[in-house]
């Protein structure tokens, strides 16, 4: 498994439209067998910052499986207006240091 983090900076005037775009885009993520889960979080301390966390089966599953599938075009169409607002988009390997209650 690999985790993709996408950091956005979204002006308050666009926040509602941004979240609505991901309500639409989540259908494509849910439909992909390569997507294991996701969450969109808004920063409590700086509300113009968001982080999208997506768990993929692998980097290849994301880049080759999802991005070359029929699920990607509707995903991209939904979030396209917010691509210029991306501050970081990277894949991270999960380490053994973790805990959940």
């Amino acid at each position: 498994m690999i985790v993709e983090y996408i950091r956005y900076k979204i002006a308050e005037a666009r926040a509602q439209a941004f979240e609505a775009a991901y309500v639409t885009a989540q259908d494509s993520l849910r439909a992909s067998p390569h997507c294991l889960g996701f969450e969109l979080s808004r920063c409590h301390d700086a509300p113009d910052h968001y982080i999208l966390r997506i768990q993929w089966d692998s980097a290849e599953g994301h880049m080759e499986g999802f991005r070359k599938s029929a699920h990607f075009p509707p995903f991209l169409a939904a979030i396209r207006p917010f691509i210029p607002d991306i501050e970081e988009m990277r894949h991270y390997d999960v380490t053994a240091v973790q805990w959940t209650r």
Side-chain angles (χ1 to χ4, degrees), residues 4 7-8 30 32 37 43-44 48 61 67 69-70 88 93:
E4 177 186 21
R7 292 187 313 113
Y8 289 92
R30 288 175 189 249
S32 173
C43 183
H44 178 78
D48 60 340
R67 287 205 175 177
S69 75
E88 178 186 21
D93 293 310

Side-chain angles (χ1 to χ4, degrees), residues 15 18 26 33 41-43 63 65-66 69 71 78 82 94-95 98:
F18 175 72
Q26 74 178 335
S41 300
R42 188 174 190 181
C43 183
M63 301 303 291
F66 178 66
S69 75
H71 305 298
F82 304 99
V94 177
T95 70
Q98 54 184 300

